[in-house]
Amino acid sequence: MFKPIIFLFAPVIFLFSSPLMGQTKDLPNIIWLTSEDNSPFAGCYGDQFATTPNMDHLASEGFLYTHAYANAPVCAPARNTIITGVYANSGGNQHMRSHYPKSDIIQLLPELLRKAGYYCTNNSKEDYNMDPEQAADIWDESSRKAHYKNRPAGKPFFAVFNNTISHESSIHKSIPNKSLRHDPAKVKLPPYHPDTPEMRHDWAQYYDKIEDMDTWLGEKLQELEDEGLLENTIVFYFGDHGGVLGRSKRFVYESGTRIPMIVRIPQKYKSIFPALNAGDKVDRMVSFVDLAPTLMSIIGEDIPNWMQGHAFLGEQKTADPRQVFMFRGRMDERYDMSRAIRTPRYRYIINYMPHRIYGQHINYLWKAPSMVSWEQAYLNGQCNDYQSAFWEPKPFEELYDTESDPWEVNNLAADPAYADILDSLRKETRNWSLQIKDTGFIPETERNILYPNGSLYDYMQTLPSETLEFWVDVANMAAAGQVKNLQKLFELLDNQDPVVRYWAATGILILGDKAKPFAQKIMDKMSDQSPAVTPVISEYLYSNGQQNEGLKYLKQCIGSPELFSRVQALNVVDIQDINQKEVQQSLENMLLLYPDNDAPDRYDLRLVQWLKDKWSK
């Protein structure tokens, strides 16, 4: 019997049956209760500062997953992965926020469940990081009024209720300390955060929001009980990724990818229990790509062969996996690229853009007072090594022992004692990228040239496997930043494939001063027609003594008809702080050519506004 602190539920059994494939199946109702931007900040996960009676009680009657992860540390690519059962970086939908089409091969989870006889409702966030037209009719209802109560008699339901109480925006406006329920002075800060008043305040305010979210969770469970449905409904509760203070959301660390996940399964479906008794913890590693195949397994439908996850419940449940994978692409207006693997003990991260600091200014992230205070503390020289690392160039590879280092601040990648583990996880990550046909190795501007009106998923199915292997190997060679590879990188600038040239140019940019022997020859490559390659070479030239040539081509990119070539170039302007009259004029010309027309993804405009604000100070 579900009995949270503030509610009393009496179990009522309510059965649905639905004819499928000539048979009659007893189908469970399934409900997803999701919260935004929160790591496992809950008493049931051992957090003593949290106030989460409803989550704690749900865990006591369900199964708490100790190793549950978002595959992307930000909402839209994470939701794309959930709704498709395909890694967003395999589908070509990894960049935050974008509207590229999905493949017609891939059907969305609600479509499959409706075919199986379910009434599917979504209340109400979608944000699937794809062409919105492709998700327009996948639900029976998708609105703030959508509810399983509206289903036809005798139909089982799949219902999603998404809560935004704990969203990042909840700390954008500070409330007075005296109004907080959690005391800022009692916050235990992670080692990478400086001890500023704003940091303590944002942490305390965020715990208040977690408490409010927990109350919402109890209300939804109460509603199920009031309808007499609790004992015929499988309840999933999970967060949509980690969060929300700086270095969590958007970053492929534990703090950005680990989520709370609790599944309550009524006694009548005991046959699919993942452990012996309700209330047990489950150590199996699960991630969002597993959710869609798991639901298909629960209801007894065949899992489509294009789904890339592993069912963790039901008759098609697989053996426990050894790891889960994560990815990071463009975050709003800022380019970066990382891939990560998490085993039960270790986390390995490969950074393909180590020359870009983690702390790139992102408009939305900087709305939090804690982020502003952290940056200022760094500029004032008040941060220790752990706290400063966020603002300095990243290592090519990172390896953390999460048992001894839960906040992931001691990078073991260079420690000879961990060489075998590093090599093993590096190979696993490479093999994963090849297996899922990772589209992230194609720069975003080039994807719009290679396949402008289609899904990159389809494009990659026809790509020779050796081509992708070459891309991955060149990208790895470039990101490693080793002088011994300089000659090879320079030779690859003549390759016919713009993807190869992009990574070769990136490798030369990463080497910086060490590539000076080739500076004059690199200038000869400025005739490159790729709108992705030109900004990279321009940045290298500008930052290595060839400012006039670098600036000449950079201004051309600022005026490019390709949106993300403009975004790429404006990133360079900001990073190199090219505050010159002719650049300012280029920005004004760009605004005349491409005014604000309410088109989606206008991150070029966001960057222009940031540059103007920065230069006006």
Side-chain angles (χ1 to χ4, degrees):
M1 184 169 68
F2 194 89
K3 188 180 179 184
I5 289 176
I6 55 174
F7 305 117
L8 180 63
F9 295 156
V12 177
I13 295 177
F14 195 92
L15 300 178
F16 290 105
S17 63
S18 176
L20 281 117
M21 300 164 58
Q23 301 178 18
T24 298
K25 294 184 179 180
D26 286 337
L27 294 173
N29 300 315
I30 301 171
I31 188 167
W32 282 0
L33 303 174
T34 67
S35 57
E36 297 202 20
D37 300 9
N38 58 292
S39 302
F41 300 127
C44 54
Y45 277 94
D47 189 332
Q48 301 302 314
F49 199 53
T51 314
T52 53
N54 294 294
M55 201 186 308
D56 299 348
H57 199 84
L58 183 64
S60 74
E61 296 205 344
F63 299 93
L64 181 148
Y65 283 80
T66 61
H67 289 79
Y69 291 91
N71 303 107
V74 72
C75 56
R79 290 171 182 274
N80 179 276
T81 302
I82 290 171
I83 204 74
T84 62
V86 172
Y87 294 100
N89 57 320
S90 178
N93 306 94
Q94 70 273 17
H95 293 302
M96 172 70 185
R97 174 171 283 110
S98 55
H99 301 282
Y100 300 122
K102 74 168 182 68
S103 170
D104 290 337
I105 294 171
I106 298 170
Q107 293 180 278
L108 304 182
L109 178 60
E111 297 177 288
L112 297 172
L113 294 177
R114 289 173 73 185
K115 289 178 181 178
Y118 276 82
Y119 186 76
C120 296
T121 72
N122 177 55
N123 189 329
S124 64
K125 186 172 181 178
E126 295 184 356
D127 199 20
Y128 300 135
N129 222 45
M130 65 176 69
D131 179 351
E133 291 298 317
Q134 293 182 300
D137 300 311
I138 64 172
W139 299 95
D140 289 295
E141 296 180 82
S142 182
S143 72
R144 292 187 177 183
K145 295 181 179 180
H147 205 290
Y148 55 79
K149 293 179 183 179
N150 302 328
R151 70 193 182 283
K155 267 218 170 205
F157 64 79
F158 169 61
V160 176
F161 291 90
N162 183 77
N163 184 279
T164 61
I165 290 174
S166 57
H167 185 265
E168 177 180 13
S169 57
S170 67
I171 62 170
H172 285 173
K173 184 177 180 181
S174 293
I175 62 175
N177 277 26
K178 62 182 180 181
S179 301
L180 295 173
R181 299 188 296 275
H182 290 81
D183 184 357
K186 295 181 179 179
V187 169
K188 186 176 181 180
L189 294 173
Y192 51 77
H193 279 167
D195 194 346
T196 68
E198 295 85 356
M199 188 66 73
R200 286 191 170 277
H201 179 280
D202 281 5
W203 268 108
Q205 182 168 318
Y206 185 63
Y207 270 96
D208 281 3
K209 297 302 179 182
I210 293 292
E211 184 176 20
D212 295 341
M213 181 276 294
D214 184 76
T215 299
W216 168 86
L217 180 64
E219 290 169 352
K220 289 301 175 187
L221 294 169
Q222 175 71 69
E223 190 172 43
L224 267 179
E225 172 61 17
D226 290 345
E227 292 294 313
L229 297 172
L230 191 65
E231 294 311 315
N232 195 57
T233 302
I234 298 175
V235 176
F236 287 73
Y237 162 71
F238 55 89
D240 71 341
H241 50 74
V244 66
L245 280 290
R247 196 188 180 264
S248 56
K249 179 179 179 180
R250 302 182 182 87
F251 304 98
V252 288
Y253 289 117
E254 194 82 349
S255 54
T257 59
R258 189 179 176 217
I259 57 163
M261 179 181 286
I262 303 168
V263 182
R264 184 185 187 276
I265 304 172
Q267 191 68 24
K268 65 175 294 188
Y269 303 115
K270 186 176 181 179
S271 63
I272 67 167
F273 275 14
L276 185 61
N277 298 305
D280 288 347
K281 293 182 178 180
V282 181
D283 292 334
R284 177 184 171 120
M285 303 202 74
V286 301
S287 66
F288 282 163
V289 75
D290 302 326
L291 283 170
T294 295
L295 262 61
M296 299 302 288
S297 176
I298 286 173
I299 68 172
E301 293 289 316
D302 290 339
I303 298 172
N305 58 12
W306 41 261
M307 284 189 178
Q308 296 170 342
H310 305 281
F312 57 87
L313 294 170
E315 292 182 358
Q316 298 171 78
K317 176 182 176 181
T318 69
D320 290 358
R322 297 176 300 170
Q323 70 277 306
V324 294
F325 296 96
M326 295 91 173
F327 56 90
R328 166 178 161 88
R330 175 176 52 76
M331 294 294 165
D332 295 350
E333 68 267 32
R334 298 295 180 178
Y335 276 105
D336 205 347
M337 179 176 167
S338 302
R339 298 293 181 263
I341 181 175
R342 176 66 156 88
T343 69
R345 181 168 181 175
Y346 295 101
R347 176 180 296 270
Y348 167 78
I349 301 171
I350 180 169
N351 293 307
Y352 286 99
M353 301 181 71
H355 58 304
R356 297 298 191 234
I357 64 172
Y358 276 126
Q360 295 188 78
H361 183 279
I362 297 174
N363 177 277
Y364 202 75
L365 177 57
W366 255 250
K367 291 180 183 292
S370 51
M371 278 304 302
V372 178
S373 76
W374 186 6
E375 182 180 32
Q376 192 59 53
Y378 173 74
L379 295 173
N380 293 344
Q382 298 168 335
C383 290
N384 61 30
D385 289 347
Y386 291 154
Q387 297 155 4
S388 298
F390 189 74
W391 309 97
E392 297 170 355
K394 302 189 291 291
F396 165 50
E397 295 179 303
E398 301 175 63
L399 177 67
Y400 300 101
D401 182 340
T402 62
E403 289 185 6
S404 61
D405 180 24
W407 289 110
E408 298 173 329
V409 294
N410 296 304
N411 184 9
L412 304 172
D415 189 333
Y418 293 87
D420 289 345
I421 294 170
L422 181 75
D423 185 60
S424 174
L425 297 181
R426 180 192 295 135
K427 289 176 179 176
E428 290 271 10
T429 305
R430 179 183 184 275
N431 290 340
W432 170 68
S433 286
L434 296 176
Q435 179 184 357
I436 68 165
K437 300 183 183 296
D438 193 334
T439 66
F441 293 91
I442 304 173
E444 189 170 15
T445 299
E446 281 299 330
R447 71 91 56 222
N448 293 324
I449 296 171
L450 287 170
Y451 215 59
N453 299 314
S455 165
L456 272 192
Y457 179 91
D458 295 330
Y459 175 82
M460 298 296 281
Q461 304 312 303
T462 63
L463 187 78
S465 58
E466 57 269 23
T467 300
L468 177 57
E469 286 191 51
F470 191 47
W471 289 352
V472 173
D473 290 341
V474 173
N476 277 271
M477 178 172 60
Q482 296 176 342
V483 176
K484 67 178 183 180
N485 295 323
L486 181 56
Q487 178 67 42
K488 181 63 174 177
L489 291 170
F490 177 72
E491 293 171 359
L492 290 172
L493 286 178
D494 287 325
N495 194 281
Q496 293 183 346
D497 187 339
V499 176
V500 173
R501 298 200 306 277
Y502 168 81
W503 284 111
T506 299
I508 290 169
L509 175 60
I510 289 169
L511 284 166
D513 288 346
K514 298 172 184 177
K516 275 191 174 180
F518 289 97
Q520 187 60 46
K521 293 182 179 180
I522 291 170
M523 195 183 303
D524 298 337
K525 307 298 180 183
M526 291 309 303
S527 59
D528 198 303
Q529 298 301 305
S530 167
V533 177
T534 301
V536 181
I537 297 179
S538 297
E539 181 176 3
Y540 171 78
L541 292 174
Y542 186 89
S543 60
N544 286 275
Q546 305 287 340
Q547 292 189 343
N548 289 338
E549 287 298 312
L551 192 56
K552 173 184 174 182
Y553 289 96
L554 200 59
K555 288 190 296 182
Q556 292 180 11
C557 296
I558 293 172
S560 169
E562 293 289 336
L563 167 63
F564 288 106
S565 186
R566 300 197 299 270
V567 171
Q568 199 177 339
L570 291 168
N571 269 273
V572 175
V573 170
D574 182 36
I575 290 162
Q576 299 296 332
D577 200 21
I578 311 177
N579 182 11
Q580 299 181 13
K581 286 185 178 180
E582 52 186 317
V583 172
Q584 294 175 7
Q585 187 59 56
S586 294
L587 300 186
E588 296 302 326
N589 293 341
M590 189 204 83
L591 295 176
L592 290 174
L593 282 171
Y594 311 107
D596 187 355
N597 57 3
D598 296 325
D601 307 328
R602 288 301 304 273
Y603 290 116
D604 56 337
L605 301 181
R606 190 175 291 186
L607 281 162
V608 169
Q609 187 59 55
W610 159 244
L611 289 167
K612 287 184 174 182
D613 291 345
K614 184 174 77 166
W615 292 341
S616 67
K617 294 178 181 177

